[in-house]
């Protein structure tokens, strides 16, 4: 936290500052832990491109907002019980 409030550890690559959009958590299932970690980071850095990033790696994900709302990729529900 800073005097201006909490900041995310993911940096927006277009502005060079911590991300400030509504998404604060990404969970990704992918072919390896390294790919899942990279995709989760990329999704938080630029959530508008999340669908393309996931499709390119045949991965699934859940994104969670500051308010606690969760959004899943279409195939993620097949992995949840």
């Amino acid at each position: 936290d800073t005097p201006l409030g909490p900041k995310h550890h993911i940096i927006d690559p277009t502005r060079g500052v911590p991300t400030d959009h509504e998404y604060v958590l990404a969970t990704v299932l992918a072919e390896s832990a390294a790919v899942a970690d990279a995709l989760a980071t990329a999704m938080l850095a630029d959530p508008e491109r999340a669908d393309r990033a996931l499709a390119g790696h045949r991965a699934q994900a859940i994104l969670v907002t500051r308010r606690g709302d969760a959004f899943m990729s279409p195939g993620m529900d097949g992995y949840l019980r």
Side-chain angles (χ1 to χ4, degrees):
D1 292 3
T2 69
L4 299 176
K7 299 295 180 194
H8 206 289
H9 72 283
I10 305 296
I11 302 300
D12 179 334
T14 62
R15 299 181 303 140
V17 297
T19 60
D20 61 357
H21 50 73
E22 66 178 314
Y23 298 105
V24 294
L25 182 136
T27 299
V28 177
L29 296 176
E31 64 191 44
S32 72
V35 170
D37 182 56
L39 287 171
T41 300
M43 291 176 70
L44 290 175
D46 190 356
E48 292 182 15
R49 296 184 185 178
D51 290 340
R52 282 189 293 170
L54 292 174
H57 291 277
R58 294 186 310 209
Q60 301 298 326
I62 298 174
L63 281 171
V64 180
T65 68
R66 287 185 181 118
R67 293 184 357 202
D69 298 321
F71 301 93
M72 291 190 302
S73 60
M76 186 63 153
D77 60 345
Y79 293 97
L80 303 175
R81 294 184 203 192

